[in-house]
Amino acid sequence: GIDFSKITYLASKKDEINILEHLPNIDYQDTFGISALIWACGNGYVDIVKKLIDANANLNLQNDSIKFV
């Protein structure tokens, strides 16, 4: 699966990577229902949240237990 913690951490460091290039699709959810947007919101990555919203990430996605967005 995708390691959102690693991707968002690296993407937050001076744009070292483009998070969108590492996702199968913008709204990809892992086995727990976590998407990049949910992860970024829940962990305070404001710049990444903005990038995902600008790329038309679904604002209505929910995971299986915690609803961040």
Side-chain angles (χ1 to χ4, degrees):
I2 293 178
D3 183 349
F4 289 120
S5 61
K6 182 178 180 180
I7 292 173
T8 51
Y9 173 77
L10 292 173
S12 71
K13 300 297 177 190
K14 298 183 181 179
D15 244 4
E16 287 182 27
I17 65 167
N18 179 351
I19 191 169
L20 302 176
E21 293 175 359
H22 294 271
L23 300 173
N25 67 64
I26 190 78
D27 295 321
Y28 170 83
Q29 290 179 279
D30 66 12
T31 56
F32 300 104
I34 303 291
S35 68
L37 183 59
I38 291 170
W39 183 267
C41 286
N43 289 282
Y45 290 106
V46 176
D47 290 340
I48 295 173
V49 170
K50 289 177 184 177
K51 284 181 188 180
L52 292 167
I53 291 172
D54 288 345
N56 296 316
N58 184 343
L59 302 179
N60 296 309
L61 288 179
Q62 297 180 354
N63 67 2
D64 295 337
S65 59
I66 304 169
K67 296 170 177 59
F68 292 114
V69 181

